[in-house]
Amino acid sequence: MKRGGSVLVAIRVEGTQPVRAKLRELSVTGGLLILAKPLGKGDFAELAFQTSKGAVHGMAELLQPRRESTSRCPQPFRFVPIADQDPTHLTL
């Protein structure tokens, strides 16, 4: 689903200050963030954002950033399971 970059995302990579991004695309497996500068490929991050269906808070692996211009950096991510939760017992 294309989001048009209007959804703000709070990102926290362990050991760094929180970063904000815009969400361009979202699927059940991941999505595409628009950042001012790229985060590290392979880093794991906590993501939090609000959708029309409710809040999303999860863990993601950051993938290889793409370079489109000097003012923005698209970076794909994939959701990863949280180790201490059994996905068959999640409450929605």
Side-chain angles (χ1 to χ4, degrees):
M1 160 178 28
K2 297 261 185 191
R3 300 295 310 167
S6 61
V7 175
L8 292 178
V9 181
I11 304 166
R12 175 165 286 223
V13 176
E14 188 174 329
T16 66
Q17 293 292 324
V19 175
R20 295 216 182 264
K22 291 185 179 178
L23 185 64
R24 181 189 283 175
E25 296 177 22
L26 180 65
S27 74
V28 295
T29 59
L32 184 65
L33 300 167
I34 304 299
L35 297 149
K37 56 184 182 178
L39 297 170
K41 175 187 171 193
D43 283 350
F44 289 94
E46 291 181 63
L47 303 180
F49 54 93
Q50 186 71 32
T51 71
S52 61
K53 302 288 184 182
V56 175
H57 185 159
M59 293 295 297
E61 178 184 9
L62 300 170
L63 304 175
Q64 180 67 42
R66 303 176 196 161
R67 194 46 91 176
E68 283 188 358
S69 72
T70 57
S71 64
R72 63 186 189 137
C73 181
Q75 186 157 17
F77 67 91
R78 69 176 186 91
F79 289 115
V80 295
I82 299 173
D84 61 348
Q85 288 186 339
D86 179 354
T88 62
H89 293 94
L90 292 179
T91 304
L92 299 177

